[in-house]
Amino acid sequence: MQIEDALNIGRLRLRLISGCCLVALIVSFIFIYSAQKLAKDLGQETELRALKNEAISTLSYIEHIYTQHSPATGWTMACNALEARGKDDPNLAFVFIDSNQSRSCRVNIEKTLGGHYSSFEDMSSKAEGFTTLDGHMFVWSSASSSSPPIVIHIVRRVISQEKAQEFVFKRLSIVSFITFWVAVWAAILVSVSVSKRIELSNKKLAHLATHDDLTGLFNRFYLAKKIRLFHKQNPNNATGAVLLIDLNGFKDVNDTLGHSAGDTLLCTIATRLKKVTGEQGAVARLGGDEFVIWLENKSKHDVLDIADALAQASIKPISVNGEIVAVSASIGCAYFPEHGTAPNTLLKNADEAMYRAKVSRQTLLIHSASGKHSSQYRLKLRSEIKDAIKNDEFVLYYQPKLRLSDGNIIGAEALVRWQHPKEGLLQPFSFIDLIEQSQNVHSFGFHILTKALMQMAEWKKMGIDISVAVNLSPYNMLNNTLPEIIESQLKLLKLSPSQLEIELTESATMVQLDVIADMFKRLRDIGVTVSIDDFGTGMSSFAYLKKLDVDIVKIDREFITDLESEDQNRLVVAGIISLCKRMRKDVVAEGVETVEQEHILKAMECDYVQGYYYAKPLPKADFLKFVEEHTQ
Amino acid sequence: MMPLKKNLCRLDKNMRGLIGVVVTGCGIVFGQQIGDPLLQGLVIAFGLLNLVSFVTSWCLVYQLVSISTIEHDTPNNN
């Protein structure tokens, strides 16, 4: 059933009122009919009894006359008495029969019965009765005696009964009219009261069906309906946009501060998004930390402005349970009708753009028609991961890491690529999150780790003794046997534990911090170097440096880019280096691309550098060539 | 105190006016035929209430259950 149908209760109300009125009408009719019938029956009964009494008393009177006088005199006196009575009441008729003398006396018969005179013979065949002739009511009764053998019949035209019935009918009609009137109003009151309750329930149901329970925003169902309606009303020349927002760092808040803190965060973000959007569009929550904004009749420029304002609103710190937390937003945009007109298509395309924005650490990206980022494509890749591990399709590229003081290569960061048989060489952002979402995360981590260690062993045999940093997923850190696996592999390949470096991104360390800290400690205990990657971009504080007890801190490339021109970046980098020095941790600057950046970092006494200025990530053969050239 | 807000459309109002005139008239003129003072009073009261609704375009029962026959005044469900 559609929501509109559930809300439309006008018809139900009309039915209720009609039903109540019909019942009131039927009840009034039955009431009038019953009352009139009752009055009629009671009147007949009374009339009949009265007439019978009169017949008996008349008979007694005549018997008395007959006992006092001779039959001839008695006959005359009785007839005279009946005629006198007939004169008093013209509606009363008598027939007196003396069987001995074989004669009868008739008083008022023609007058009372009129044209129905012949009907008297029928009446006299029964002892008493009641009949209606030509709209007039008649009642008759008979009485007889054997000694003397006389019979008396009395007929009365009932005038009072007719009047009584007319009176009752008139009175009851008025009463019924008033009763019906009251019943109609009662029906209206009852029906409206019932329908109002139903309406209220329907409204609540409709609200539940179209709104998100937690934030009070619209839900996916409502949004899809709104987009469809917009398309229907504006089949041509209309523009719109879907902005799909996914929060970065929400999972960390949920995992570290609890779900209620996560809920508070979502509600705060929802309020901000609603405030920024205002009357310009509809804000909905898809679920989890995903929000959608549907904008109608906005130019692309306006859409980008709104998206920018939404992103700004999302990154402002939020106080949750006394803790200050901050999240950021990755926004994917799909234009209507350019990227689709159906709600699902628009959402899918916006989701694709959002995903690209997320993996490339950008705030906003617009849907690209390229199939490389489509959901189907990603689903396909996801299904191929297991076989790719089995077929050894994941290859490692190595980016050299140099000591800044003397320029010597001290190690390399192993960066994974997927040599896909059909799609070619795929970058990590195309598949890393797919692996982390799949059941293959542990086997993948182990596969990469083994691959890197084997490469290190191969180079060692060739006399190249450098350390290799391997990026592991935070989910690998939750594997309790990881230190034992690494230790046994190192022993097997006769490698020094200090040659292996395990890297974790800063945001990843937020997931179950205590477990990660314990794992870092165990790795350090066996001699493996541990480092925090992309430091400064997550939401952790410097205090985590101490808690996690790492050997190396890698400053994110975001701070190194524009290091020459941005004073703020210089201050942040100098601060991180200074702090790490005091905490006796080595610092690596990632993403060095210019000689100026190198000079600045040197002045700041940064320990190690890595970036395109020296070398991009290289296949193992090229890396070997680079090392050989560099050492010459 | 309950505010007196118009809730009768033109047709509703005119019908009540007609019913009011007829019923009140009958109540007064045919008092003898009705025969009962209580009934006569009720008939006249019914007629007068309809006349009040006709004059004010307002119905107490409608107001009690928050309905209106004036289209733009119907409660908004949205």
Side-chain angles (χ1 to χ4, degrees):
Chain A
M1 189 166 71
Q2 294 292 311
I3 295 300
E4 291 82 353
D5 295 339
L7 285 172
N8 185 10
I9 56 164
R11 196 173 287 177
L12 175 71
R13 185 186 289 180
L14 193 68
R15 278 184 195 172
L16 273 171
I17 293 174
S18 308
C20 289
C21 290
L22 189 67
V23 169
L25 203 65
I26 292 168
V27 168
S28 295
F29 176 75
I30 293 169
F31 182 53
I32 292 173
Y33 175 78
S34 302
Q36 200 168 357
K37 188 83 173 51
L38 188 69
K40 189 180 174 186
D41 290 349
L42 280 173
Q44 281 178 2
E45 185 68 26
T46 311
E47 285 286 342
L48 209 59
R49 194 168 294 170
L51 203 66
K52 196 170 185 178
N53 287 339
E54 185 151 1
I56 291 166
S57 63
T58 307
L59 186 70
S60 302
Y61 175 68
I62 293 171
E63 279 174 343
H64 176 71
I65 291 171
Y66 266 63
T67 53
Q68 299 292 321
H69 304 280
S70 64
T73 312
W75 166 260
T76 309
M77 283 178 74
C79 287
N80 289 340
L82 290 174
E83 272 173 17
R85 176 81 180 93
K87 274 180 187 168
D88 288 346
D89 190 348
N91 293 314
L92 199 64
F94 296 94
V95 176
F96 169 49
I97 302 164
D98 185 342
S99 301
N100 275 350
Q101 297 178 50
S102 301
R103 51 186 176 176
S104 66
C105 169
R106 292 171 180 252
V107 178
N108 278 356
I109 287 292
E110 294 83 359
K111 205 175 176 181
T112 305
L113 290 172
H116 306 291
Y117 172 74
S118 57
S119 301
F120 174 73
E121 300 306 323
D122 298 331
M123 290 178 191
S124 58
S125 63
K126 289 175 190 170
E128 58 184 32
F130 196 96
T131 190
T132 303
L133 298 169
D134 214 12
H136 299 293
M137 284 177 279
F138 297 93
V139 61
W140 75 92
S141 186
S142 304
S144 60
S145 76
S146 52
S147 179
I150 54 174
V151 178
I152 182 90
H153 297 285
I154 306 179
V155 180
R156 184 193 289 279
R157 184 181 164 191
V158 184
I159 303 294
S160 59
Q161 173 74 7
E162 285 173 7
K163 282 186 176 171
Q165 271 189 281
E166 190 186 325
F167 187 69
V168 166
F169 179 76
K170 203 192 291 172
R171 187 75 63 87
L172 284 178
S173 297
I174 295 165
V175 171
S176 293
F177 173 71
I178 292 167
T179 310
F180 181 71
W181 169 50
V182 172
V184 166
W185 285 121
I188 292 173
L189 282 170
V190 170
S191 65
V192 170
S193 169
V194 169
S195 60
K196 268 189 178 289
R197 283 179 185 221
I198 294 170
E199 198 175 304
L200 197 68
S201 302
N202 279 347
K203 270 187 183 177
K204 281 183 185 168
L205 281 174
H207 190 269
L208 278 175
T210 54
H211 288 74
D212 173 52
D213 199 29
L214 176 67
T215 58
L217 295 176
F218 295 121
N219 61 12
R220 189 191 196 107
F221 168 78
Y222 177 84
L223 196 83
K225 193 178 135 195
K226 200 166 168 61
I227 295 172
R228 272 195 292 270
L229 187 70
F230 179 73
H231 186 212
K232 198 177 169 186
Q233 290 173 344
N234 306 280
N236 304 309
N237 304 324
T239 56
V242 165
L243 296 173
L244 199 148
I245 301 176
D246 187 273
L247 300 179
N248 303 312
F250 170 73
K251 193 177 180 303
D252 300 336
V253 175
N254 236 1
D255 290 343
T256 52
L257 300 177
H259 287 282
S260 76
D263 290 349
T264 310
L265 176 85
L266 288 175
C267 289
T268 311
I269 293 288
T271 311
R272 287 180 185 175
L273 297 181
K274 214 171 171 182
K275 196 176 169 187
V276 169
T277 310
E279 297 297 315
Q280 301 179 95
V283 185
R285 180 174 168 238
L286 291 189
D289 58 350
E290 282 192 334
F291 297 88
V292 180
I293 285 95
W294 163 244
L295 303 166
E296 291 177 2
N297 298 318
K298 295 279 170 212
S299 68
K300 287 183 178 177
H301 185 262
D302 289 342
V303 170
L304 296 181
D305 281 350
I306 293 168
D308 188 47
L310 292 168
Q312 293 301 321
S314 305
I315 57 169
K316 285 181 193 164
I318 297 163
S319 172
V320 181
N321 300 342
E323 300 265 348
I324 301 295
V325 295
V327 291
S328 60
S330 292
I331 306 176
C333 174
Y335 291 120
F336 174 100
E338 192 179 328
H339 298 141
T341 53
N344 282 346
T345 312
L346 284 166
L347 283 172
K348 189 186 75 181
N349 290 338
D351 187 52
E352 167 274 315
M354 183 278 293
Y355 166 75
R356 278 193 297 124
K358 206 174 182 70
V359 294
S360 59
R361 297 195 172 187
Q362 294 184 66
T363 306
L364 171 71
L365 278 180
I366 294 153
H367 169 67
S368 149
S370 161
K372 286 278 178 189
H373 309 291
S374 70
S375 303
Q376 291 95 320
Y377 175 74
R378 285 168 52 73
L379 272 175
K380 177 182 155 288
L381 284 187
R382 192 171 172 165
S383 66
E384 292 170 347
I385 290 168
K386 201 172 177 180
D387 287 340
I389 296 171
K390 200 171 148 188
N391 299 335
D392 197 20
E393 289 172 13
F394 292 104
V395 292
L396 289 178
Y397 274 49
Y398 299 89
Q399 187 170 34
K401 196 158 63 179
L402 294 92
R403 193 184 294 119
L404 199 51
S405 56
D406 55 17
N408 286 336
I409 299 169
I410 52 104
E413 181 179 358
L415 297 158
V416 69
R417 304 284 188 267
W418 184 349
Q419 189 61 59
H420 196 282
K422 287 178 186 165
E423 305 294 337
L425 193 69
L426 300 177
Q427 296 295 317
F429 64 79
S430 303
F431 58 85
I432 286 295
D433 69 315
L434 294 177
I435 291 169
E436 289 191 335
Q437 289 161 14
S438 74
Q439 299 294 316
N440 303 308
V441 64
H442 291 296
S443 57
F444 175 79
F446 180 73
H447 178 72
I448 295 303
L449 191 65
T450 309
K451 224 172 159 57
L453 289 172
M454 285 172 75
Q455 186 60 62
M456 283 161 70
E458 191 184 322
W459 285 336
K460 194 179 177 185
K461 277 183 196 166
M462 294 166 73
I464 303 167
D465 202 6
I466 56 169
S467 68
V468 172
V470 178
N471 290 282
L472 285 184
S473 159
Y475 299 102
N476 294 137
M477 292 286 128
L478 302 177
N479 182 356
N480 207 31
T481 58
L482 184 70
E484 285 79 18
I485 293 170
I486 291 175
E487 197 171 20
S488 66
Q489 288 284 316
L490 287 168
K491 272 184 189 165
L492 190 73
L493 296 166
K494 293 175 185 166
L495 289 167
S496 163
S498 61
Q499 280 183 283
L500 177 67
E501 185 184 324
I502 300 293
E503 285 188 11
L504 263 189
T505 60
E506 185 198 6
S507 61
T509 60
M510 287 288 289
V511 183
Q512 300 187 21
L513 189 67
D514 293 338
V515 179
I516 303 281
D518 181 55
M519 182 57 73
F520 273 20
K521 189 176 176 301
R522 287 174 64 194
L523 289 171
R524 291 191 79 208
D525 286 346
I526 61 168
V528 173
T529 307
V530 288
S531 63
I532 294 182
D533 201 6
D534 303 332
F535 186 79
T537 54
M539 56 180 291
S540 62
S541 68
F542 284 103
Y544 284 98
L545 282 178
K546 187 189 168 192
K547 276 190 184 176
L548 289 174
D549 198 15
V550 294
D551 300 290
I552 299 169
V553 172
K554 297 183 81 174
I555 304 171
D556 191 76
R557 67 185 67 243
E558 194 177 300
F559 297 103
I560 309 301
T561 311
D562 303 328
L563 195 64
E564 314 93 302
S565 54
E566 288 283 338
D567 289 346
Q568 295 289 335
N569 282 5
R570 275 205 299 276
L571 285 170
V572 172
V573 173
I576 294 172
I577 292 171
S578 169
L579 186 75
C580 290
K581 290 278 171 201
R582 285 185 200 173
M583 295 178 80
R584 294 179 184 174
K585 297 179 193 306
D586 290 335
V587 182
V588 179
E590 287 182 301
V592 179
E593 291 179 359
T594 63
V595 67
E596 287 83 8
Q597 288 168 1
E598 187 192 67
H599 289 154
I600 293 167
L601 289 165
K602 212 173 214 173
M604 289 177 182
E605 297 182 353
C606 180
D607 300 303
Y608 309 109
V609 284
Q610 184 183 327
Y612 274 41
Y613 176 62
Y614 310 102
K616 61 181 184 180
L618 301 165
K620 59 181 182 184
D622 292 350
F623 178 77
L624 199 61
K625 205 183 282 177
F626 178 82
V627 172
E628 282 168 357
E629 285 171 3
H630 198 81
T631 47
Q632 279 170 8
Chain B
M1 198 176 154
M2 197 177 281
L4 196 148
K5 195 180 174 187
K6 289 184 179 182
N7 52 21
L8 301 179
C9 69
R10 186 183 290 271
L11 178 69
D12 201 343
K13 176 187 149 127
N14 290 339
M15 274 180 69
R16 282 161 192 262
L18 187 69
I19 292 168
V21 168
V22 171
V23 175
T24 311
C26 287
I28 294 165
V29 175
F30 300 109
Q32 197 72 30
Q33 277 78 4
I34 294 169
D36 186 86
L38 179 67
L39 279 183
Q40 189 186 8
L42 280 171
V43 169
I44 293 170
F46 170 71
L48 286 176
L49 281 175
N50 277 282
L51 285 176
V52 167
S53 290
F54 170 70
V55 173
T56 59
S57 300
W58 171 77
C59 171
L60 174 68
V61 180
Y62 278 12
Q63 180 142 349
L64 283 175
V65 294
S66 306
I67 56 173
S68 170
T69 47
I70 300 173
E71 262 181 42
H72 65 267
D73 270 358
T74 47
N76 192 355
N77 291 336
N78 298 321

